[in-house]
Amino acid sequence: MPAGPRPTGPKAFRRRLLAPVAVSVAVALALAGCSSSSSSSSSSPSSAPPSAQSAGTGSGSGTGQTSSAPTAQPGGPNQLQDAYQRVIANVLPSVVQITTGESLGSGIVYDDKGDIVTNAHVVGTATTFTVTLANSSTPLDASLVASYPDSDLAVIRLGSPPGGLKPAVFGDSGKVQLGQITLAMGSPLGLSSSVTQGIVSATGRTVSEPQGGGSPGATIGNMVQTSAAINPGNSGGALVNLDSQVIGINTLAATEPQSNGAAAPGIGFAIPASTITSIADQLIKQGKVTNSGRAALGVVARSSFNQQFQPAGAVVVSVTPGGAAAAAGLQAGDVITKLGDTPIDSLNALTTALASLTPGSKVTVTYTRDGTSRTADVTLGTLATP
């Protein structure tokens, strides 16, 4: 599954299937991405405990027409089942299967013009695709609008959008709550229009994807962790709440490194809706991202090692003129050892720490210069885009 620095909760992720990063529980994350499996149709929500309650978010913001589903109340399995089925009826028509070469992933209809948002690692290096809608078996041609691998997001566009295309409704990421019921929709292992259920297990995760499979690897902040099953082919699909709103794009699933990459059930990650809409809007309107929304220190750095060849920080190779680090007095040769309260023992750790912060944040940087430990208060800038 992951890229860049490592997750704040989990630690290493692997990719290409898409492979995972690792988690602190000695689990590796794998991208829930592409699969060469042939597709077949299936739509079967998992059952849930009768006592489960929904914690639906408020009205969503984003593209598409607003629809609502009843909030499940504790009172028996039928009410919860009815809620699941209504959400599936509302949202599943907006989830598509994307095929590129021998790889397969998922996507979400973003607008009625035929724009579809998905993961950059699903797109890879391809520029043309075959898309199959949830309510049709007819393959449709699509082409790349633009991709932004740093946030693992991309937009493709149908060449001839059919009538009745149903854009998804995107929710408010700030209202996603721990314990909220979620449904993951996509094409795991090529099984189109599949649905699994779970809850929001955590929010605010920072996850690093592995390189490969058409992705340079990305470190993504503020991800939603879910217990809904996410498998290869689910990448780019929708993570949905009981208000029929997309709260994330399914991106990573965990695997256990000590079990030859066997699945670690109940640990999946989704890029939050706020990131999706911000990046997708820019890709559609401008063909590129001009405001990444990601914090930057304004340095080029590499991992530093002590005399015992152990990781010992991130050494600054160069400082961007006029950047955040330059304004705070950091210089080439300084070794960053802490960002705020987070210890930094490598470039990967520095990248991960920055991914959890936002532009304009003020943070204390601890570093050594000429063998002396120092600190500097830095106001972070915005990560430049290509």
Side-chain angles (χ1 to χ4, degrees):
M1 308 185 278
R6 303 192 172 234
T8 54
K11 287 194 178 180
F13 293 66
R14 211 184 320 193
R15 184 188 230 305
R16 189 38 182 162
L17 259 177
L18 304 220
V21 195
V23 230
S24 54
V25 296
V27 196
L29 300 179
L31 292 177
C34 307
S35 164
S36 58
S37 304
S38 59
S39 64
S40 62
S41 179
S42 144
S43 175
S44 55
S46 304
S47 59
S51 59
Q53 299 182 31
S54 76
T57 64
S59 57
S61 59
T63 55
Q65 300 175 349
T66 304
S67 58
S68 61
T71 300
Q73 300 295 330
N78 289 339
Q79 284 184 302
L80 187 59
Q81 176 174 288
D82 290 345
Y84 282 179
Q85 292 177 333
R86 191 163 306 186
V87 173
I88 291 168
N90 286 338
V91 184
L92 197 58
S94 303
V95 180
V96 306
Q97 185 177 91
I98 300 173
T99 305
T100 167
E102 295 182 353
S103 296
L104 178 152
S106 304
I108 305 170
V109 177
Y110 195 73
D111 57 35
D112 57 10
K113 298 176 182 177
D115 291 312
I116 295 169
V117 64
T118 184
N119 285 129
H121 75 256
V122 170
V123 167
T125 58
T127 56
T128 59
F129 315 90
T130 299
V131 172
T132 306
L133 303 182
N135 56 0
S136 172
S137 60
T138 303
L140 303 173
D141 292 332
S143 58
L144 179 67
V145 173
S147 179
Y148 186 58
D150 283 348
S151 290
D152 199 359
L153 290 170
V155 174
I156 66 175
R157 181 173 297 154
L158 295 174
S160 300
L165 203 60
K166 185 176 182 181
V169 176
F170 288 80
D172 184 346
S173 296
K175 295 181 179 179
V176 175
Q177 298 178 0
L178 191 66
Q180 190 171 0
I181 292 176
T182 57
L183 298 179
M185 303 181 185
S187 300
L189 305 179
L191 299 171
S192 62
S193 300
S194 291
V195 182
T196 56
Q197 64 84 31
I199 63 169
V200 173
S201 305
T203 59
R205 295 297 197 198
T206 298
V207 175
S208 294
E209 300 176 351
Q211 295 185 354
S215 169
T219 297
I220 306 170
N222 200 33
M223 294 190 84
V224 179
Q225 182 181 331
T226 180
S227 63
I230 296 177
N231 293 294
N234 264 134
S235 282
L239 186 67
V240 184
N241 63 20
L242 288 191
D243 287 331
S244 297
Q245 299 166 343
V246 175
I247 60 172
I249 277 188
N250 305 320
T251 302
L252 303 171
T255 61
E256 299 183 47
Q258 297 179 346
S259 301
N260 296 320
I267 305 177
F269 297 87
I271 298 172
S274 59
T275 301
I276 298 167
T277 55
S278 173
I279 298 300
D281 284 345
Q282 294 179 68
L283 294 178
I284 292 169
K285 295 174 183 177
Q286 304 161 182
K288 62 180 181 179
V289 173
T290 56
N291 180 10
S292 66
R294 298 165 62 97
L297 187 56
V299 300
V300 174
R302 60 176 174 78
S303 295
S304 176
F305 299 86
N306 59 25
Q307 294 181 342
Q308 287 72 45
F309 300 102
Q310 298 298 315
V315 60
V316 176
V317 176
S318 63
V319 177
T320 304
L330 290 174
Q331 302 174 5
D334 292 342
V335 179
I336 299 171
T337 57
K338 187 180 290 187
L339 193 70
D341 294 327
T342 304
I344 303 298
D345 64 0
S346 64
L347 175 59
N348 195 52
L350 177 60
T351 307
T352 301
L354 286 169
S356 65
L357 301 173
T358 57
S361 299
K362 295 184 178 180
V363 63
T364 298
V365 176
T366 302
Y367 63 98
T368 58
R369 179 184 295 171
D370 299 327
T372 302
S373 180
R374 308 185 182 197
T375 61
D377 292 330
V378 179
T379 301
L380 297 174
T382 301
L383 182 67
T385 56

